[in-house]
């Protein structure tokens, strides 16, 4: 056990070093002689922006004393991967963020493909707009892999991290800041980075003795946060693959309130399913392994029945969430998902009703399914539900209250440093030019690091990337006119160095690499 002031670190279910990112026995924060921890920079929040902040600060100056404080026992924030799922414990699903755009998101593309060298493939067959992260064998690794690996690299460089540590207040103190945890541990820091979603960010600032809310930059109030939900169904026999339904979207929802049917707004190509090889032994990931010969009659896996939010202008956007919120009753508010099976009446009803709704959709669309599919119900449902009950986040992703603010670099830049005279910085997707994407948090982070910490351009970043994401120059690109549907070569760790990244006359990357 390591004792840091009053913070104890033990390898239990409640206090983890960091899932797959940290190794057992590695010291996090060092023993302190008093009940006070001292940091050059205190990063509050272990989402993509927080972990990226810590890594870049240490990359630029290995002697920096950088500390990261995360209220949960894992890194990633809304990049939330569930692994070891299904009867064989070999499937992975993403409850939150799950993909990136190599054409329109240059920073995360450089991070995943050039720095971390993570294998990746198209999210949807034939569509170059989106990519997902794979493991070394070509299976879905979970999008959180990139945050976890980056955290591990930062830790190797000297990052001091504290998990299950909630920061209650941030106050001015002797030219710097004094942070206080829920267990009354004090942390002194010269500078503070807040990688928090809007609701927890506002709560923290309101609880603190900083200049009052009337002194905040007004841009902190500009976004609102949406609710979002996903519904995955596990089938021992993947009937959609058996029938060749492996690409595209489906929608079948109630249009009047109250909703009485399970909403269907899903994709055939999203969730992981595995199939046995026709030659040799073993199973492979069907969606991400190209043309390998498999027995499509014997596949198993998850089907994405629903993925939606209440963002948007339609009068039915909230109805799917109004139905599924009844299945979001997880007493543990640190986990944004719940698992249902036939062991409860409620779970059995969800499985039966969801399956019936899928069958009705295909019948109405005159899509023939394999014989017996109607009677083969799913055996498990996983419902992810991001709303205010998940207090450490408060919802799914953000949108601007005034649509005119969306994508404006000058609006984002004003939220980076909400107090003009304080070395306190904000990095999250809510105030970014790409709300709802990791890229938004990362680009906001890179902007404050370049201007206020002088970190310099890293070697792994393409020369064209920084001009495109720099908020205060004419070369900034919000990618509203980004080309779509370009066919590009799948990138793996093995062929990474062989790829080049030409740019068009506007400086936008035209390939991933």
């Amino acid at each position: 056990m390591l004792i840091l002031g009053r913070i104890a670190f033990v390898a239990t279910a409640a206090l983890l070093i960091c899932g797959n990112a940290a190794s057992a026995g590695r010291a996090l924060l060092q023993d302190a002689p008093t009940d006070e921890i001292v940091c050059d920079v205190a990063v509050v929040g272990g989402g993509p922006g927080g972990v990226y902040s810590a890594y870049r600060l240490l990359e630029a100056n290995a002697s920096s004393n950088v500390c990261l404080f995360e209220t949960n026992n894992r890194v990633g924030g809304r990049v939330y991967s569930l692994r070891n799922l299904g009867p064989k414990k070999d499937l992975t699903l993403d409850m939150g963020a799950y993909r990136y755009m190599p054409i329109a998101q240059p920073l995360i593309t450089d991070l995943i493909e050039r720095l971390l060298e993570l294998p990746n493939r198209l999210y949807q067959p034939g569509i170059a707009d989106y990519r997902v992260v794979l493991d070394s064998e070509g299976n879905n690794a979970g999008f959180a892999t990139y945050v976890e690996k980056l955290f591990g690299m930062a830790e190797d460089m000297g990052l001091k991290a504290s998990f299950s540590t909630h920061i209650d207040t941030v106050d001015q103190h002797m030219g710097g800041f004094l942070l206080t945890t829920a267990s009354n541990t004090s942390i002194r820091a010269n500078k503070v980075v807040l990688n928090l979603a809007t609701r927890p960010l506002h709560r923290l600032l309101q609880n603190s003795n900083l200049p009052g809310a009337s002194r905040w930059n007004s841009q902190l109030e500009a976004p609102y946060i949406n609710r979002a939900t996903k519904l995955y169904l596990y089938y021992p026999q993947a009937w959609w693959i058996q029938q060749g339904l492996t690409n595209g979207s489906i929608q079948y929802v109630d249009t009047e309130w109250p909703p009485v049917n399970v909403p269907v707004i899903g994709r055939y190509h999203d969730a992981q399913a595995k199939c046995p090889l026709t030659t040799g032994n073993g199973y492979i990931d069907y969606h991400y392994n190209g043309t390998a010969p498999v027995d499509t009659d014997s596949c198993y896996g998850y089907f994405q029945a629903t993925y939606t939010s209440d963002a948007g202008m339609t009068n039915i956007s909230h109805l799917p969430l109004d139905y599924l919120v009844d299945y979001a009753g997880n007493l543990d508010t640190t986990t944004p998902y719940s698992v249902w099976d036939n062991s409860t009446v409620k779970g059995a009803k969800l499985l039966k009703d969801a399956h019936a709704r899928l069958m009705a959709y295909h019948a109405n669309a005159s899509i023939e399914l394999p014989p017996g599919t109607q009677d083969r119900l799913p055996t498990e449902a996983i419902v992810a539900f991001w709303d205010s009950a998940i207090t450490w986040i408060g919802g799914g992703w953000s949108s601007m209250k005034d649509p005119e603010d969306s994508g404006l670099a000058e609006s984002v830049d004003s939220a980076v440093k909400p107090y003009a005279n304080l070395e306190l910085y904000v990095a999250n997707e809510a105030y970014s030019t790409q709300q709802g994407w990791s890229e938004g948090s990362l680009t906001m982070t890179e902007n404050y690091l370049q201007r206020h910490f002088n970190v310099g351009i890293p070697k792994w970043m393409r020369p064209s990337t920084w001009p495109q994401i720099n908020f205060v120059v004419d070369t900034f690109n919000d990618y509203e006119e980004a080309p779509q549907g370009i066919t590009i070569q799948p990138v793996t760790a093995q062929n990474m160095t062989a790829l080049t990244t030409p740019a068009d006359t506007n400086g936008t990357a035209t390939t991933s690499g």
Side-chain angles (χ1 to χ4, degrees):
M1 178 183 295
L2 297 175
I3 304 296
L4 312 182
R6 297 192 184 101
I7 304 177
F9 292 84
V10 293
T12 68
L15 293 169
L16 301 179
I17 292 180
C18 182
N20 297 333
S23 59
R26 181 178 293 165
L28 300 182
L29 286 166
Q30 299 300 315
D31 291 338
T34 67
D35 287 341
E36 189 173 74
I37 299 168
V38 179
C39 313
D40 292 333
V41 181
V43 180
V44 181
V51 173
Y52 183 72
S53 295
Y55 174 80
R56 289 285 283 119
L57 289 168
L58 290 163
E59 180 185 47
N61 184 359
S63 64
S64 296
N65 181 14
V66 181
C67 308
L68 185 147
F69 302 92
E70 167 56 43
T71 192
N72 295 309
N73 58 14
R74 49 171 289 279
V75 293
R78 283 165 286 185
V79 185
Y80 200 114
S81 301
L82 292 184
R83 301 182 175 97
N84 304 313
L85 297 174
K88 297 180 182 292
K89 308 297 183 185
D90 60 346
L91 299 174
T92 297
L93 294 174
D94 283 305
M95 298 294 98
Y98 57 104
R99 60 183 181 174
Y100 67 102
M101 296 191 289
I103 299 170
Q105 297 177 344
L107 181 53
I108 193 172
T109 300
D110 287 353
L111 181 63
I112 289 175
E113 299 181 5
R114 295 172 67 89
L115 174 63
L116 302 177
E117 296 187 323
L118 294 175
N120 57 88
R121 294 194 182 183
L122 298 180
Y123 165 67
Q124 182 175 3
I127 304 297
D129 301 345
Y130 310 105
R131 300 187 79 85
V132 293
V133 174
L134 307 178
D135 64 19
S136 60
E137 297 179 353
N139 298 299
N140 180 19
F143 201 46
T145 300
Y146 93 86
V147 187
E148 294 162 352
K149 186 170 182 180
L150 189 65
F151 172 82
M153 293 171 67
E155 191 185 33
D156 288 340
M157 297 165 70
L159 173 64
K160 300 170 183 177
S162 171
F163 292 91
S164 299
T165 303
H166 184 77
I167 301 299
D168 274 351
T169 61
V170 179
D171 302 321
Q172 293 177 268
H173 178 71
M174 298 178 63
F177 297 91
L178 182 67
L179 294 78
T180 305
T181 72
S183 59
N184 293 320
T185 297
S186 296
I187 302 147
R188 283 195 292 117
N190 295 323
K191 301 178 181 181
V192 171
V193 175
L194 301 179
N195 176 223
L196 301 172
T198 52
R199 283 173 176 160
L201 173 66
H202 291 170
R203 281 197 301 268
L204 175 60
L205 295 180
Q206 288 164 351
N207 289 339
S208 302
N209 291 322
L210 296 171
S214 62
R215 302 277 300 278
W216 295 354
N217 188 300
S218 61
Q219 196 64 23
L220 286 189
E221 304 290 348
Y224 68 92
I225 194 162
N226 305 296
R227 297 183 301 165
T229 187
K230 291 184 177 184
L231 169 62
Y232 289 101
L233 304 173
Y234 177 81
Y235 285 91
Q237 185 171 11
W239 49 266
W240 58 100
I241 294 177
Q242 189 178 7
Q243 193 64 16
L245 301 171
T246 58
N247 191 356
S249 302
I250 60 176
Q251 180 169 324
Y252 194 35
V253 297
D254 290 339
T255 58
E256 296 181 358
W257 198 91
V260 296
N261 295 296
V262 177
V264 171
I265 314 174
R267 299 166 185 163
Y268 293 115
H269 57 270
D270 179 88
Q272 189 179 21
K274 289 196 170 185
C275 302
L277 293 164
T278 56
T279 58
N281 298 320
Y283 289 78
I284 64 170
D285 191 322
Y286 178 83
H287 293 293
Y288 303 127
N289 275 278
T291 59
V294 296
D295 177 7
T296 56
D297 289 334
S298 303
C299 304
Y300 60 89
Y302 287 91
F303 184 90
Q304 186 193 73
T306 300
Y307 175 37
T308 189
S309 76
D310 57 6
M313 303 301 292
T314 67
N315 62 359
I316 67 167
S317 60
H318 65 94
L319 296 180
L321 292 102
D322 291 345
Y323 184 95
L324 286 174
V325 70
D326 196 36
Y327 290 92
N330 197 325
L331 295 178
D332 181 1
T333 58
T334 65
T335 57
Y337 68 92
S338 52
V339 181
W340 300 89
D341 58 26
N342 286 306
S343 63
T344 65
V345 172
K346 192 170 183 176
K349 183 178 188 306
L350 177 60
L351 294 172
K352 180 181 177 181
D353 291 351
H355 180 71
R357 194 68 168 166
L358 285 175
M359 296 300 101
Y361 165 82
H362 289 87
N364 290 343
S366 299
I367 299 174
E368 185 177 350
L369 297 179
T373 300
Q374 185 82 29
D375 301 322
R376 293 195 291 268
L377 271 63
T379 58
E380 181 182 79
I382 299 179
V383 179
F385 207 95
W386 299 86
D387 67 355
S388 59
I390 312 301
T391 56
W392 53 272
I393 285 294
W397 59 85
S398 300
S399 301
M400 288 297 182
K401 297 171 183 175
D402 181 355
E404 295 297 320
D405 280 346
S406 182
L408 296 179
E410 57 269 29
S411 298
V412 178
D413 192 52
S414 64
V416 167
K417 195 169 185 285
Y419 299 100
N421 298 321
L422 298 181
E423 295 266 33
L424 182 146
Y425 306 93
V426 171
N428 65 26
E429 57 81 29
Y431 306 102
S432 74
T433 57
Q434 293 202 27
Q435 291 175 309
W437 294 88
S438 289
E439 178 79 355
S441 184
L442 296 174
T443 56
M444 195 171 178
T445 300
E446 188 65 35
N447 272 269
Y448 88 72
L449 289 172
Q450 292 287 350
R451 276 197 285 286
H452 300 289
F453 288 80
N454 300 314
V455 295
I457 305 297
K459 293 180 180 179
W460 51 265
M461 186 183 292
R462 289 170 294 177
S464 61
T465 295
W466 172 238
Q468 294 174 64
I469 64 173
N470 186 348
F471 294 153
V472 297
V473 297
D474 292 338
T475 52
F476 172 80
N477 193 336
D478 61 9
Y479 290 96
E480 290 182 356
E481 304 300 326
Q484 301 292 302
I486 297 175
T487 301
I488 51 181
Q489 178 184 356
V491 178
T492 67
Q494 289 70 38
N495 70 9
M496 174 68 62
T497 56
L499 294 177
T500 59
T501 307
D504 63 18
T505 55
N506 294 320
T508 26
T510 55
T511 69
S512 66

